[in-house]
Amino acid sequence: MIKMNNKTRFLWLYSTVLFTAAFVLIFMSAVSQNRLSKDVKSYKEQLTKQQGLFQGVQKSLSELTEENRQLQEKVKEEEDKNKEYEQQIIEMNKKLDEANTQKEMYANSMENLLLAKKYYDEKKYRESAACLEKVNKEMLSENAKYLYDSFADTVYKKVAIVYYNEGYKNYSAKKFNEAADSFEKSLSYKKDEYCSDDALYYLAMSRLKIKDINQAKFALEQFKSQYPSSGYIKDVERLLNSINNN
């Protein structure tokens, strides 16, 4: 009976140990599972936070990209405006240069016009004509152009006679080259003055004297065309026939 009690006691003790061990294992398992659940939950929370942070970064990156695009557009607009302003400045400077050039031309024209009048009053007709040739008529007003034309016509008549007289003087002195130059200058100012046919006739004769036959023939043909009723016409025709037959 005592042996049974010992055996029973042993079994009971053994069962108690097993139960306790099982309970400890179950308890440790529960603790581990609870801890694992907390770790998983914490991981999920961290993951959620990281995902939220990533989304925030993506959103910030998109916003920065858009801001950068808008900034580049504004920069381009400003560059285009600057180019437009630079072109406007170039055009304004060009117009200013043109205005200054026209102003200078006008001033020179007026100066030469005044000098021409001064020389004319002093009977220096060559100098007066030379000044008139430097006047730019396009810079004058319509009324001023009319006065210029009237004054120039008067001066050119005077200087044409001066050069004709000089040419005839040289021709008489047998200075035929100088005479030809003077007759040409006379005709460059006036071709319808009373001495114009004389100037062209003696120009042709001067060319003949220096054996410049081609230029003499050209002057005689001009004479025949321009002054067909001149008193020199018969002599001109005779000279042309002589040149053509040689």
Side-chain angles (χ1 to χ4, degrees):
M1 189 70 179
I2 294 174
K3 289 182 181 179
M4 283 294 292
N5 288 337
N6 289 336
K7 186 176 182 180
T8 301
R9 186 181 297 171
F10 175 78
L11 289 173
W12 183 84
L13 181 61
Y14 181 73
S15 298
T16 300
V17 171
L18 287 176
F19 177 79
T20 301
F23 177 78
V24 170
L25 290 173
I26 292 171
F27 177 77
M28 290 180 64
S29 176
V31 170
S32 297
Q33 187 173 2
N34 184 54
R35 184 178 297 170
L36 180 61
S37 298
K38 288 181 179 181
D39 290 341
V40 170
K41 183 179 180 181
S42 176
Y43 173 76
K44 286 182 178 180
E45 290 176 353
Q46 291 179 2
L47 182 62
T48 301
K49 288 180 181 181
Q50 289 178 355
Q51 288 177 342
L53 180 62
F54 179 73
Q55 290 175 353
V57 170
Q58 281 188 321
K59 183 178 180 181
S60 298
L61 183 60
S62 299
E63 291 175 351
L64 288 174
T65 302
E66 178 61 22
E67 289 179 1
N68 183 55
R69 185 188 66 78
Q70 292 177 358
L71 183 59
Q72 287 180 345
E73 289 180 353
K74 289 182 179 180
V75 169
K76 188 176 183 305
E77 288 177 2
E78 292 299 323
E79 288 177 348
D80 292 340
K81 287 181 181 179
N82 287 337
K83 289 180 181 179
E84 184 178 350
Y85 292 148
E86 288 176 358
Q87 186 61 34
Q88 290 177 356
I89 291 172
I90 291 173
E91 291 177 359
M92 289 177 65
N93 287 334
K94 183 179 179 181
K95 289 180 179 179
L96 183 60
D97 290 340
E98 291 175 354
N100 288 332
T101 300
Q102 290 183 350
K103 181 181 178 181
E104 184 177 350
M105 290 173 62
Y106 177 78
N108 289 336
S109 294
M110 294 306 297
E111 182 180 359
N112 281 296
L113 193 56
L114 293 173
L115 279 174
K117 181 64 169 61
K118 175 179 178 292
Y119 287 134
Y120 180 82
D121 293 339
E122 295 172 355
K123 300 186 184 304
K124 297 178 180 178
Y125 302 124
R126 300 186 201 194
E127 292 84 350
S128 180
C131 288
L132 285 176
E133 290 174 353
K134 296 176 183 178
V135 174
N136 187 344
K137 280 180 62 176
E138 300 304 318
M139 302 302 300
L140 305 177
S141 65
E142 292 302 319
N143 290 333
K145 286 180 182 178
Y146 175 79
L147 294 174
Y148 169 86
D149 289 337
S150 178
F151 179 57
D153 185 64
T154 300
V155 173
Y156 291 162
K157 283 181 180 180
K158 294 286 187 180
V159 78
I161 294 171
V162 169
Y163 277 116
Y164 169 74
N165 290 333
E166 180 183 81
Y168 189 78
K169 181 180 178 180
N170 287 326
Y171 185 85
S172 299
K174 300 185 185 304
K175 298 178 180 179
F176 300 117
N177 282 309
E178 292 86 343
D181 290 341
S182 296
F183 290 133
E184 282 185 337
K185 288 178 180 177
S186 176
L187 290 166
S188 70
Y189 286 105
K190 277 292 179 180
K191 290 182 174 63
D192 57 356
E193 192 56 35
Y194 73 90
C195 62
S196 297
D197 61 333
D198 299 83
L200 188 54
Y201 175 78
Y202 282 107
L203 173 60
M205 295 301 295
S206 297
R207 296 300 188 195
L208 285 173
K209 295 291 185 180
I210 59 177
K211 307 300 182 183
D212 190 352
I213 305 302
N214 290 332
Q215 288 298 317
K217 180 181 178 181
F218 179 72
L220 291 169
E221 288 174 342
Q222 278 188 314
F223 189 100
K224 186 176 179 181
S225 173
Q226 294 177 14
Y227 309 110
S229 60
S230 172
Y232 297 106
I233 192 65
K234 288 184 178 180
D235 195 34
V236 168
E237 290 175 345
R238 179 185 61 80
L239 290 169
L240 276 173
N241 287 332
S242 176
I243 292 172
N244 290 330
N245 290 330
N246 288 334

